Amino acid sequence: MMQTNASRRDLARGLAVLGFGLTAGAGLAAAPPAQAQASGAAAAAVKAAYDKYKGLQEGKNADYIPALAKVPSNYFGIALATPQGALATAGDIEPTFSIQSISKVFTLALVFQESGEDLIENSIGVDATGQVFNSIVAVEQYRGKEMNPLVNPGAIATTGMVKGTPDEVWKKILALHSDFAGRQLSVDEEVYKSEADTNQRNRAIGALMWAYERFKSDPAVATDIYTRQCAIAVNAKDLGNMAATLANGGKNPITKKQVIDPKHVSRLLAVMATAGLYDDSGKWLFHTGLPAKSGVGGGLIAVSPGKFGVGTFAPPLDAAGNSVRGQKAIIDISNALGGNPYEAKPI
């Protein structure tokens, strides 16, 4: 059961740091029981970004997974959540979609929590590959070593490192994703089947990573569980809360549950900064400074540590596989709220 939110006084104090205010005469009693609605700077920034980009027609849905091609391309939702538990939203925040590669972040968090960070660094590495997200050439070039856990070879290996029987592994993965979201999540079975029917390349990648001894479990099982985790159904609000949990040192701002140890969060964010947006990760970091992760289902999360987490949903993707409207919206929101952690004013 979700715990009670922070007091009105504590919430107001935290929001004031970011210039977020509670509407006069309103408060937690008037808000949805699980989450207070932000107003002021956060709400204004989210609304402005939504209004500016809701009509943008650039990009196209991923179609190499047939189920993704059928998702309405006009969906556009934004959800920003703060470490204090306030929420600012606009657009289509309730429709669910498959989390896809964003799941890599949270399964990596599970392995960090279970086995420590050295296992990942010493087995598959944390450097960017310099190749596309599903490159087999990169696996061969480095014998599976420099396979960042946010690209497919490293992600399949990471899933293969979760401890337990296949059933135990899956239950732990789904439970951790749910803890980050603050509600019980489930799998979009249509997407899972569609992806499982077309994932021959991932099966080959998993077998090759196993052959290079980057993980020990059955590669076919690891690839199947990886495929299922990518089909977990979320909405934009879930993504906002998942990102805010990272912004809050691994503590869910709604349930108040410490989902992962705070010591792991900085390493997770570093890997997101390195490879979170596929081939355009460097460009993204250059323009925003925000650790982020995209998914070909149209989702995108970004984290401003200590300030906010934001999740967006807009299916049309650019050539690198990242949501077009999501990127533009988050850039504007971060600029409006001073989200770039690298920006420092001289004193």
Side-chain angles (χ1 to χ4, degrees):
M1 179 178 294
M2 292 186 180
Q3 297 180 16
T4 305
N5 278 321
S7 70
R8 178 187 172 96
R9 182 181 62 187
D10 291 340
L11 177 60
R13 183 188 302 122
L15 296 180
V17 174
L18 293 177
F20 303 164
L22 288 170
T23 303
L28 294 182
Q35 199 157 11
Q37 297 297 303
S39 60
V46 169
K47 183 180 184 302
Y50 175 77
D51 289 342
K52 183 176 179 180
Y53 298 115
K54 63 183 178 181
L56 187 66
Q57 299 297 315
E58 295 177 17
K60 67 174 185 176
N61 287 32
D63 55 11
Y64 68 93
I65 300 171
L68 300 186
K70 299 190 299 183
V71 178
S73 61
N74 62 324
Y75 276 150
F76 183 31
I78 307 171
L80 179 149
T82 73
Q84 294 78 24
L87 181 72
T89 65
D92 302 306
I93 63 165
E94 296 297 339
T96 59
F97 54 94
S98 56
I99 193 170
Q100 295 298 327
S101 285
I102 300 172
S103 68
K104 296 170 180 175
V105 172
F106 304 104
T107 301
L108 176 61
L110 176 57
V111 174
F112 279 176
Q113 188 77 5
E114 278 194 335
S115 303
E117 299 156 4
D118 289 348
L119 175 63
I120 293 292
E121 185 174 11
N122 296 333
S123 59
I124 59 175
V126 293
D127 284 331
T129 68
Q131 304 283 353
V132 295
F133 70 95
N134 62 349
S135 173
I136 291 176
V137 172
V139 180
E140 283 286 82
Q141 182 178 3
Y142 299 111
R143 299 179 63 83
K145 176 63 173 75
E146 295 300 336
M147 294 293 104
N148 188 293
L150 300 190
V151 296
N152 288 18
I156 293 168
T158 299
T159 298
M161 293 176 191
V162 179
K163 296 177 180 179
T165 65
D167 185 57
E168 290 168 343
V169 167
W170 169 245
K171 286 180 179 178
K172 286 194 286 186
I173 288 173
L174 184 61
L176 193 74
H177 281 72
S178 298
D179 284 344
F180 267 97
R183 72 177 183 97
Q184 182 61 51
L185 301 177
S186 60
V187 170
D188 185 321
E189 293 293 343
E190 180 185 1
V191 172
Y192 166 67
K193 184 179 186 306
S194 181
E195 199 160 356
D197 288 344
T198 56
N199 71 345
Q200 292 86 356
R201 187 180 185 91
N202 277 347
R203 282 180 252 164
I205 287 171
L208 192 56
M209 290 292 287
W210 178 82
Y212 283 132
E213 300 182 343
R214 298 303 167 186
F215 66 101
K216 296 179 180 179
S217 63
D218 185 327
V221 172
T223 303
D224 182 66
I225 295 174
Y226 166 77
T227 304
R228 184 170 286 276
Q229 82 180 33
C230 287
I232 292 172
V234 294
N235 58 32
K237 182 179 175 182
D238 294 326
L239 292 187
N241 285 328
M242 294 168 95
T245 300
L246 292 172
N248 193 35
K251 184 177 183 179
N252 188 297
I254 309 307
T255 67
K256 308 305 178 187
K257 181 175 182 176
Q258 190 70 48
V259 180
I260 60 167
D261 292 341
K263 66 181 181 181
H264 297 310
V265 174
S266 63
R267 302 296 176 87
L268 282 170
L269 296 180
V271 177
M272 290 168 65
T274 304
L277 267 75
Y278 305 120
D279 303 349
D280 282 351
S281 298
K283 293 178 183 177
W284 171 262
L285 195 65
F286 181 81
H287 287 289
T288 70
L290 298 180
K293 186 70 193 84
S294 63
V296 295
L300 180 62
I301 63 171
V303 178
S304 181
K307 293 185 176 181
F308 60 81
V310 59
T312 62
F313 172 44
L317 312 176
D318 62 17
N322 304 309
S323 172
V324 176
R325 290 192 296 253
Q327 290 178 82
K328 292 180 180 294
I330 290 174
I331 288 171
D332 282 11
I333 291 167
S334 180
N335 286 342
L337 301 179
N340 189 335
Y342 293 119
E343 289 183 350
K345 297 181 179 179
I347 57 175

